[in-house]
Amino acid sequence: MTGYDMAKEFETTLFEFWSAKHSQIYTELSALTVAGFVNYEIEISGNVLEKKMYSITPAGKLEFEKWEKSCTRKSYPPKDEFRLQLFFSDNISAEHRRNLLTEQLTYYKKRLSHLRDNLQKFDAIPPKEESEFSDYLVLMGAILREETNCKWMETAIRLCEEKERTSIGRTNETK
Amino acid sequence: MTGYDMAKEFETTLFEFWSAKHSQIYTELSALTVAGFVNYEIEISGNVLEKKMYSITPAGKLEFEKWEKSCTRKSYPPKDEFRLQLFFSDNISAEHRRNLLTEQLTYYKKRLSHLRDNLQKFDAIPPKEESEFSDYLVLMGAILREETNCKWMETAIRLCEEKERTSIGRTNETK
DNA sequence: TGTACCATGTAATGGGTTACATGATTCA
DNA sequence: TGAATCATGTAACCCATTACATGGTACA
């Protein structure tokens, strides 16, 4: 795979949970090559254009597997600018807050429908021995995430629109 | 509020959606002071210890409100190392994957119970005019997020444990 | 009196983005 | 022949973390 290919991957499949620009990818690939974790062969495309086809080395594979098995729970929960805005939304008008919420709902819905499109590629749950099973689990997680985000926004909007609410009694039960 | 106080806030309430270390806070406060968005008064604690009590300036308030009303959807979805690991988990053994999933479930459960403790502070849904209403919405969002994460892990673990599955027929219905 | 916590800062470094910069290939 | 896309890289900068560094206060 070339660095260019990887950049494309980050724009599509991997986008749901990670991203990187080509500038970072190229510098990182150079560093990994020096470290001995990957190497590359040059392929000629057309007459002169050199493509660097990267492969993982045994040392890289070892390092990767070490990471893959590790249970590092760093940087969770993730930073989320919208939640930050919402937290301080008592400083703006009710209309502005409602606008924020409805815009966010639209955005979450858009992501959700895009994810559901991706789900069409699976006509059944892949067997757990297949490599597609991992992809399926991650996609399922992303869909659940966006479904929950949509529900969250819908509830929040409903609460904003309610005319009156008794301060005691209604706590958490939906309806 | 002092920079020290802010650092504490990031470790507790704000932690669900943002974080910053004291080193960043102090440098940022200096920059904001130079920019005229905040200012401070020195208070003496004890005999000599100087505390810088920060306040927002009118210019700062204006800038804040501008941001607060803006619908910037940058950096979504968030980077998530666990989802990245899961995506590539077809490279490790079934046992290692199961371990990853159960460890993550434990972690999500811990977060969830912590969030539910915070919910105890509200004996009812705050009226939408109150400043606590924003806090409530964000807390609700965090709880929904972790509940969904737990459900996701439970489903994933179940799928891993199933002995056999017919490749056609069962798509998405739970049970 | 010593330990936990209050309180503030700087330096080095890492991870990541935006912008700068170049050139080849493919296809209409 | 020109536009979209393939393909690779560097430089400047920003945000953030870890580690370094200092000293005061409260309380047992």
Side-chain angles (χ1 to χ4, degrees):
Chain A
M1 207 181 213
T2 67
Y4 189 85
D5 295 331
M6 292 177 204
K8 272 197 299 182
E9 284 289 309
F10 279 117
E11 281 168 16
T12 54
T13 347
L14 278 64
F15 180 67
E16 284 312 314
F17 48 89
W18 210 265
S19 68
K21 310 285 178 184
H22 79 272
S23 56
Q24 190 185 5
I25 292 165
Y26 288 123
T27 47
E28 201 56 44
L29 282 172
S30 302
L32 287 171
T33 305
V34 172
F37 293 137
V38 298
N39 55 31
Y40 62 85
E41 277 172 35
I42 290 174
E43 257 184 34
I44 303 293
S45 174
N47 295 315
V48 286
L49 184 60
E50 295 188 347
K51 297 207 295 186
K52 292 183 177 176
M53 303 300 286
Y54 282 90
S55 308
I56 195 162
T57 63
K61 189 85 184 166
L62 222 69
E63 200 65 17
F64 164 74
E65 276 162 7
K66 205 175 91 186
W67 167 78
E68 185 62 38
K69 290 169 190 164
S70 71
C71 292
T72 46
R73 319 255 158 272
K74 36 178 179 169
S75 77
Y76 189 87
K79 290 192 178 186
D80 187 323
E81 191 174 350
F82 169 70
R83 286 172 202 255
L84 190 64
Q85 271 184 307
L86 186 59
F87 186 77
F88 291 111
S89 66
D90 48 287
N91 291 280
I92 53 171
S93 69
E95 297 94 287
H96 275 117
R97 170 152 58 195
R98 265 211 77 229
N99 183 249
L100 221 55
L101 292 168
T102 53
E103 283 291 312
Q104 195 66 13
L105 175 58
T106 304
Y107 181 72
Y108 287 147
K109 275 182 176 168
K110 207 180 89 189
R111 288 225 58 75
L112 182 56
S113 82
H114 169 250
L115 291 166
R116 282 182 175 150
D117 287 348
N118 291 353
L119 193 65
Q120 299 302 309
K121 289 163 200 160
F122 301 94
D123 43 59
I125 302 176
K128 58 180 187 291
E129 300 78 22
E130 302 291 314
S131 73
E132 288 76 32
F133 183 62
S134 305
D135 305 25
Y136 180 83
L137 289 182
V138 170
L139 182 57
M140 180 176 81
I143 289 173
L144 287 170
R145 180 183 65 194
E146 299 311 331
E147 282 175 347
T148 301
N149 282 336
C150 288
K151 276 182 217 156
W152 177 40
M153 285 302 94
E154 281 157 7
T155 308
I157 291 165
R158 206 182 324 120
L159 289 176
C160 285
E161 281 170 351
E162 276 180 26
K163 274 274 171 272
E164 196 92 354
R165 224 177 319 116
T166 52
S167 60
I168 314 263
R170 306 253 329 248
T171 47
N172 233 355
E173 65 274 2
T174 11
K175 194 56 168 279
Chain B
M1 208 181 212
T2 67
Y4 189 84
D5 294 332
M6 291 176 204
K8 271 198 300 182
E9 284 290 308
F10 279 117
E11 282 168 15
T12 55
T13 346
L14 278 65
F15 180 66
E16 284 312 313
F17 48 88
W18 211 264
S19 68
K21 310 286 178 183
H22 79 272
S23 56
Q24 189 186 4
I25 292 166
Y26 288 124
T27 46
E28 201 56 45
L29 282 172
S30 302
L32 288 171
T33 305
V34 171
F37 293 137
V38 298
N39 56 29
Y40 62 85
E41 277 172 35
I42 290 173
E43 256 185 35
I44 302 293
S45 173
N47 294 315
V48 285
L49 184 60
E50 295 187 346
K51 298 208 295 186
K52 292 184 177 175
M53 302 300 287
Y54 281 90
S55 307
I56 195 163
T57 63
K61 188 87 183 165
L62 221 69
E63 199 65 16
F64 163 73
E65 276 160 8
K66 206 175 88 185
W67 167 77
E68 185 62 37
K69 289 168 191 166
S70 70
C71 292
T72 47
R73 321 253 156 273
K74 35 177 180 168
S75 76
Y76 189 87
K79 290 191 177 185
D80 188 323
E81 191 175 348
F82 169 69
R83 288 174 201 253
L84 189 65
Q85 271 183 309
L86 187 59
F87 186 77
F88 292 109
S89 65
D90 48 286
N91 291 281
I92 53 173
S93 69
E95 297 96 284
H96 276 117
R97 170 151 60 194
R98 267 212 77 229
N99 182 247
L100 222 54
L101 292 167
T102 53
E103 284 290 312
Q104 195 66 14
L105 175 58
T106 304
Y107 181 72
Y108 287 147
K109 276 183 176 170
K110 207 180 90 189
R111 289 226 56 75
L112 182 56
S113 82
H114 168 251
L115 291 165
R116 281 183 175 150
D117 287 348
N118 292 353
L119 192 66
Q120 298 302 307
K121 288 162 197 159
F122 301 94
D123 42 62
I125 302 177
K128 60 179 184 294
E129 300 78 23
E130 303 289 315
S131 72
E132 288 77 34
F133 182 62
S134 304
D135 305 23
Y136 180 83
L137 289 182
V138 169
L139 183 56
M140 181 176 82
I143 289 172
L144 287 170
R145 181 183 63 194
E146 299 311 330
E147 282 174 346
T148 301
N149 282 336
C150 287
K151 275 180 219 157
W152 176 39
M153 284 303 93
E154 281 156 8
T155 308
I157 291 165
R158 205 181 329 118
L159 289 177
C160 285
E161 282 170 349
E162 276 179 25
K163 274 274 171 273
E164 197 92 353
R165 222 173 325 112
T166 51
S167 61
I168 316 264
R170 305 248 333 242
T171 45
N172 234 356
E173 65 274 1
T174 11
K175 194 61 169 278

